[in-house]
Amino acid sequence: TTLFRSFRFILIHFLVLDAVNTIIAFMAIYASKVIGFSGGQITNFLITSAVGAMIGSWIIGLLAKHKGVIWSYWLVLGLWIAALFLTAISQSEALFWVVGPIAGVGMGGVWVVSRAFIIEHSPPEKVGEFFGLYGLAGKAASIMGPMLWGGVVWALSSTETLKYRVAVIVLLGIVTIAAFLFRGLTRQLQHQ
């Protein structure tokens, strides 16, 4: 039913936001401890990511309008999978500089397209309720993701930088699970 699909999307969104909120919270630490960025480099990296988020919001908003929200959400998932994968494997500063804009575009895009998805695929009389659940999922994700990150880093505290890479790989796994669940949801929507 439509209600079940909307709940399922909110679960998917919760998983994606787990990764997004955690990356926002810990990217500066990762850049410093794993990549070796200086304070100035971290500032420039975060500015690059923020500019990517602004541009990404606009571009993905246009794509959602012209290509549809499902296509656009797939793009956002792909951007996050790519950004997290590159973060996990990056050994050099040069490769890590590529991550900022990709994650930024994905960050801006995830909020634009997820809201459009809720409006388009929730029962019209329940849109307000689903936006309430959507907001709750965002708040819960901003707690759960960092707790998960902290748990991984604590459990692997004896390793030097491996603990941070494993934490990113865990986030990559979460977004991959979200993509798998979204694939099932899009198949349901196509068979309507």
Side-chain angles (χ1 to χ4, degrees):
T1 66
T2 310
L3 279 174
F4 179 71
R5 285 195 299 267
S6 296
F7 278 119
R8 193 166 171 185
F9 179 74
I10 286 173
L11 170 65
I12 292 163
H13 182 65
F14 166 78
L15 293 172
V16 173
L17 281 189
D18 259 0
V20 172
N21 291 336
T22 305
I23 287 300
I24 291 168
F26 294 104
M27 190 51 71
I29 293 169
Y30 191 92
S32 168
K33 304 273 188 195
V34 179
I35 307 301
F37 271 16
S38 66
Q41 285 176 306
I42 290 170
T43 302
N44 290 335
F45 180 84
L46 295 175
I47 290 168
T48 306
S49 301
V51 169
M54 289 186 285
I55 294 168
S57 298
W58 181 69
I59 291 171
I60 293 186
L62 288 174
L63 289 171
K65 184 178 178 182
H66 296 290
K67 293 268 199 180
V69 293
I70 291 172
W71 188 93
S72 302
Y73 203 79
W74 274 120
L75 174 61
V76 167
L77 287 170
L79 287 168
W80 273 107
I81 288 170
L84 291 167
F85 177 75
L86 291 173
T87 299
I89 66 161
S90 62
Q91 301 287 338
S92 68
E93 289 185 7
L95 180 58
F96 195 69
W97 277 109
V98 175
V99 170
I102 294 171
V105 172
M107 196 180 304
V110 74
W111 285 301
V112 170
V113 77
S114 58
R115 287 181 175 99
F117 192 98
I118 294 280
I119 290 167
E120 202 171 295
H121 292 285
S122 295
E125 70 281 1
K126 300 275 188 191
V127 168
E129 292 168 42
F130 278 107
F131 267 113
L133 289 171
Y134 170 92
L136 182 63
K139 300 284 185 252
S142 65
I143 297 167
M144 294 300 294
M147 281 178 62
L148 185 62
W149 176 283
V152 170
V153 170
W154 176 79
L156 299 172
S157 60
S158 61
T159 66
E160 298 222 355
T161 59
L162 179 66
K163 58 189 167 205
Y164 300 111
R165 290 191 191 276
V166 171
V168 170
I169 291 166
V170 168
L171 296 178
L172 175 59
I174 288 171
V175 176
T176 303
I177 290 166
F180 179 77
L181 293 172
F182 192 65
R183 189 180 80 172
L185 179 60
T186 55
R187 284 180 174 171
Q188 273 187 338
L189 291 168
Q190 288 165 352
H191 293 307
Q192 261 180 228

